[in-house]
Amino acid sequence: EAGVAQSPRYKIIEKRQSVAFWCNPISGHATLYWYQQILGQGPKLLIQFQNNGVVDDSQLPKDRFSAERLKGVDSTLKIQPAKLEDSAVYLCASSPLGGRGQKLFFGSGTQLSVL
Amino acid sequence: AQKITQTQPGMFVQEKEAVTLDCTYDTSDPSYGLFWYKQPSSGEMIFLIYQGSYDQQNATEGRYSLNFQKARKSANLVISASQLGDSAMYFCAMREGRYSNYQLIWGAGTKLIIKP
């Protein structure tokens, strides 16, 4: 079974530039998550999709971040314009529909450096 | 208030020894789940073990076991016979009941280094 695919693996940009990350979840997984993980911290949820609808985006900085999930499958996360504090690893995860015991499957992440 | 607390920022352990990673949690929801994930330097989060709040037995998965003490709100991860490949960050996470959209709440992690 193929895992969660993310690209690019690394990205270096200058502040005020824009950047986009792509995620392809495990086939059949209804729920998709984007997390931001700053060095030395646990992941912070940015947005959660269920199929192609948004379940929670309360921690997404909507003035600069946007995300979409195309046809309930692939997803893109965009930052425009980037700030220095956006330097982090962006993790995508997916899971089947389920309850409190449902584990998440993660991709390898995209490491973003904003200079 | 912190809902998941991992008090050990870093640990050094000799290869082949057992290691316990601490995790305490805070919730008033009677229905919750506790997870441990491993994050090696490659970056991917790898699921290790799960414990449900109503589970009677402590969870075990190979060399991993979860020491679940409900009254103390503690869910420590025990790794038996540690190996060099166990060197990684370890995160404890909690998912509360249905009213939280089943979102995971994460601890800050513990960096484990296994010495040869």
Side-chain angles (χ1 to χ4, degrees):
Chain A
E1 178 184 78
V4 177
Q6 285 190 251
S7 67
R9 187 75 177 90
Y10 303 95
K11 191 73 177 178
I12 301 173
I13 61 172
E14 294 188 350
K15 60 183 179 183
R16 291 188 290 272
Q17 285 188 324
S18 63
V19 64
F21 313 127
W22 174 80
C23 173
N24 186 12
I26 292 173
S27 177
H29 280 194
T31 309
L32 185 147
Y33 310 78
W34 282 102
Y35 285 91
Q36 179 192 60
Q37 187 179 20
I38 291 171
L39 187 65
Q41 298 181 17
K44 168 189 159 185
L45 180 69
L46 292 175
I47 189 166
Q48 177 184 344
F49 293 95
Q50 190 157 299
N51 297 309
N52 58 358
V54 175
V55 173
D56 188 335
D57 62 357
S58 58
Q59 297 194 90
L60 186 74
K62 297 181 186 64
D63 57 333
R64 297 185 301 106
F65 286 64
S66 64
E68 61 178 1
R69 188 175 185 193
L70 307 171
K71 297 180 182 178
V73 183
D74 292 10
S75 178
T76 55
L77 176 70
K78 296 179 182 177
I79 308 175
Q80 183 178 11
K83 292 185 175 182
L84 297 176
E85 58 261 35
D86 299 331
S87 293
V89 175
Y90 290 84
L91 293 166
C92 179
S94 70
S95 70
L97 273 177
R100 61 181 171 86
Q102 185 55 62
K103 68 184 181 186
L104 271 60
F105 297 79
F106 284 82
S108 296
T110 296
Q111 187 170 323
L112 174 67
S113 297
V114 182
L115 306 177
Chain B
Q2 290 284 341
K3 286 209 164 190
I4 296 286
T5 303
Q6 295 181 252
T7 57
Q8 307 149 310
M11 286 186 72
F12 287 90
V13 172
Q14 199 69 37
E15 189 181 8
K16 298 191 179 72
E17 288 184 352
V19 58
T20 297
L21 304 180
D22 295 341
C23 173
T24 57
Y25 59 92
D26 182 27
T27 181
S28 56
D29 192 332
S31 174
Y32 55 90
L34 296 155
F35 299 77
W36 277 92
Y37 281 83
K38 171 185 177 182
Q39 188 176 38
S41 55
S42 59
E44 184 176 350
M45 284 282 191
I46 302 166
F47 167 78
L48 295 178
I49 197 165
Y50 167 78
Q51 179 85 42
S53 59
Y54 295 121
D55 294 343
Q56 296 296 315
Q57 307 258 350
N58 283 348
T60 60
E61 293 277 354
R63 293 188 300 115
Y64 304 107
S65 60
L66 202 150
N67 184 2
F68 182 45
Q69 298 187 42
K70 198 169 181 176
R72 298 178 62 182
K73 294 190 175 178
S74 155
N76 298 340
L77 177 71
V78 179
I79 306 173
S80 62
S82 58
Q83 302 170 357
L84 296 177
D86 294 332
S87 294
M89 284 290 293
Y90 287 80
F91 291 94
C92 179
M94 176 176 67
R95 176 179 277 139
E96 294 174 303
R98 67 182 71 183
Y99 301 110
S100 69
N101 283 323
Y102 300 111
Q103 289 174 18
L104 277 175
I105 303 162
W106 296 82
T110 295
K111 184 168 186 175
L112 176 64
I113 297 174
I114 307 298
K115 299 182 292 182

